[in-house]
């Protein structure tokens, strides 16, 4: 990955990370070129960690990583964009060994990891990451406002290199049961435009110093 794929904002190197080309519409294309990881926590962790290792070797680590794309929710407004205030890992369940669900055994981290930076004028919500598509009654088992498949993994990689991460997610589905891929992609063009607006607010926050890295 070359340094020119960073977006320079307020003198900072910002690395935007996305999972799927379907989420990267014309509004976002006008603002940055993302690192594409592929879908799911495994792909996200592999691709971002390898990229950061290369950048670290070249002395070009980013100052900020932004995870963005779509998410599911049955409680949040569809197509609207939310900034995650925290993220958890719903796949981890070592409760038969006495560990609370979401806590990775022998790792000194809580089940829910905070994401402290706040973008002005972007609403907030809690986020759960996992490898499964959540639909219908499966939301009953989710202790978060919205679900995605990458952010927790990206945060763990970013933390390894002491890089802050901001997560922006547009709600693409969740109001109704999912039956085919078109239920996910139907409103991605609106999510794209709303994510671009949130990226503009991020830029405003960095330029004004409200978001101080």
């Amino acid at each position: 990955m070359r340094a020119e794929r960073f977006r320079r904002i307020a003198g900072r190197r910002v690395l935007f990370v996305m999972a799927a080309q379907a989420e990267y519409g014309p509004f976002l294309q006008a603002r940055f070129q993302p690192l594409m990881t592929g879908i799911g926590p495994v792909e996200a962790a592999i691709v971002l960690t390898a990229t950061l290792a290369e950048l670290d070797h070249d002395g070009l680590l980013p100052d900020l990583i932004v995870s963005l794309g779509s998410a599911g929710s049955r409680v949040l407004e569809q197509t609207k964009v939310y900034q995650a205030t925290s993220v958890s890992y719903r796949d981890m369940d070592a409760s038969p060994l006495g560990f609370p669900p979401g806590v990775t055994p022998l790792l000194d981290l809580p089940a829910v990891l905070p994401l402290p930076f706040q973008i002005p004028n972007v609403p907030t919500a809690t986020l759960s990451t996992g490898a499964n598509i959540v639909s219908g009654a499966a939301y009953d088992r989710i202790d978060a406002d919205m679900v995605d498949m990458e952010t927790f993994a990206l945060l763990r990689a970013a933390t390894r290199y002491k890089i802050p991460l901001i997560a922006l997610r547009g709600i693409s589905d969740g109001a109704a049961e999912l039956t085919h891929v078109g239920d996910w992609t139907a409103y991605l063009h609106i999510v794209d435009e709303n994510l671009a607006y949130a990226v503009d607010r991020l830029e405003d926050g960095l330029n004004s110093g409200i978001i101080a890295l």
Side-chain angles (χ1 to χ4, degrees):
M1 177 182 171
R2 300 190 306 174
E4 51 264 35
R5 288 184 63 179
F6 290 118
R7 169 85 182 272
R8 288 260 181 190
I9 304 177
R12 304 284 188 161
R13 289 192 295 263
V14 180
L15 176 62
F16 292 90
V17 183
M18 302 186 72
Q21 194 69 34
E23 300 171 318
Y24 183 50
F27 288 93
L28 292 178
Q29 290 169 21
R31 286 161 171 80
F32 60 80
Q33 181 182 359
L35 172 69
M36 285 287 185
T37 66
I39 293 173
V42 173
E43 301 309 311
I46 289 171
V47 173
L48 181 58
T49 300
T51 298
L52 294 178
E54 294 173 4
L55 292 171
D56 188 30
H57 180 269
D58 295 336
L60 289 171
L61 283 173
D63 300 299
L64 174 66
I65 294 170
V66 181
S67 164
L68 72 170
S70 62
S73 178
R74 68 176 179 185
V75 297
L76 299 177
E77 183 177 341
Q78 302 290 287
T79 74
K80 192 169 183 177
V81 168
Y82 298 84
Q83 180 183 352
T85 56
S86 65
V87 61
S88 56
Y89 185 30
R90 64 180 178 271
D91 292 345
M92 179 55 64
D93 186 358
S95 55
L97 300 180
F99 295 93
V103 171
T104 301
L106 310 182
L107 186 65
D108 188 21
L109 286 176
V112 179
L113 303 182
L115 294 169
F117 293 100
Q118 177 61 56
I119 302 173
N121 302 314
V122 176
T124 59
T126 56
L127 176 62
S128 166
T129 292
N132 64 313
I133 298 293
V134 180
S135 178
Y139 278 105
D140 294 340
R141 299 186 294 273
I142 304 298
D143 188 20
D145 300 319
M146 56 184 179
V147 296
D148 81 343
M149 301 178 75
E150 295 83 28
T151 295
F152 186 92
L154 298 174
L155 178 61
R156 293 293 291 120
T159 301
R160 171 65 177 79
Y161 288 91
K162 298 181 173 62
I163 303 167
L165 181 140
I166 286 174
L168 293 168
R169 293 283 152 174
I171 308 304
S172 58
D173 57 82
E177 189 91 28
L178 294 172
T179 59
H180 54 79
V181 69
D183 293 337
W184 166 53
T185 59
Y187 298 109
L188 289 183
H189 61 292
I190 303 174
V191 169
D192 171 57
E193 184 173 1
N194 290 338
L195 280 170
Y197 172 83
V199 170
D200 292 344
R201 302 290 73 75
L202 169 63
E203 183 172 5
D204 291 343
L206 289 169
N207 284 326
S208 68
I210 292 175
I211 301 173
L213 302 179

